[in-house]
Amino acid sequence: PGTFSSYEWRFINEDAILSTERLYEVMDAGVYEVTISNGLTCTRDIIEILDDCDPIIYAPNAFTPDSSSGLNDTFTVFPNPYVTDFQIFIFSRQGEMVFQSTDMNFEWNGTYRGGLLQMGTYAYIMRYKSTLDLERGVIEQHGGVLLMR
């Protein structure tokens, strides 16, 4: 809040100014310091930029199959354009695999062997590769989804 007349971006604990613009586009991981001033007072803030380009697949934590609303009836994930070789495995509390797919656009309706499963939490494992870092190999992401009625 407020109007500032000067900006100074630096790596923390270094004297060299990287930029005096209001916005600074960071290209490298590190700890940055910005000092802003309005001519009467100044303030400083420290920002840490991490080099973390792992793609994450976002998924809801609950769904309501067979609900009368027709909303949120299936469990699905939000596709990530930087993911290839996708797999998902969903397990019951007893560790039995109740669903699997290699299609990132899958929709699980909470059934297994033709019947609707009981309410409860179902663990999942997603495996995939990142097009941003193919040398990394397979990435494994764990989570759980609550089947509600």
Side-chain angles (χ1 to χ4, degrees), residues 12-147:
I12 190 94
N13 299 326
E14 290 189 16
D15 293 330
I17 296 172
L18 300 169
S19 174
T20 58
E21 298 296 318
R22 182 176 163 270
L23 298 175
Y24 177 64
E25 185 175 344
V26 174
M27 296 298 175
D28 297 307
V31 181
Y32 294 81
E33 173 183 3
V34 61
T35 304
I36 55 177
S37 173
N38 64 4
L40 300 173
T41 186
C42 69
T43 188
R44 230 171 38 160
D45 199 5
I46 295 173
I47 302 106
E48 182 175 10
I49 306 298
L50 303 175
D51 187 8
D52 185 8
C53 293
D54 290 343
I56 295 173
I57 300 174
Y58 292 98
N61 59 7
F63 73 115
T64 55
D66 81 343
S67 70
S68 59
S69 70
L71 301 173
N72 203 25
D73 284 343
T74 59
F75 172 67
T76 188
V77 298
F78 299 97
N80 184 318
Y82 303 106
V83 164
T84 63
D85 301 333
F86 174 83
Q87 297 176 305
I88 186 167
F89 306 93
I90 301 176
F91 300 92
S92 70
R93 280 192 181 178
Q94 294 75 30
E96 184 176 9
M97 185 169 37
V98 296
F99 182 83
Q100 71 177 26
S101 180
T102 57
D103 181 0
M104 185 173 274
N105 297 308
F106 77 93
E107 291 187 7
W108 180 48
N109 61 4
T111 61
Y112 178 59
R113 294 186 177 164
L116 186 59
L117 290 167
Q118 294 180 354
M119 271 183 38
T121 301
Y122 292 82
Y124 62 79
I125 298 172
M126 290 187 279
R127 293 185 182 129
Y128 52 91
K129 292 181 181 175
S130 166
T131 60
L132 300 172
D133 186 7
L134 290 174
E135 287 121 26
R136 175 143 184 233
V138 175
I139 299 167
E140 195 166 277
Q141 185 176 323
H142 299 248
V145 61
L146 177 63
L147 188 155

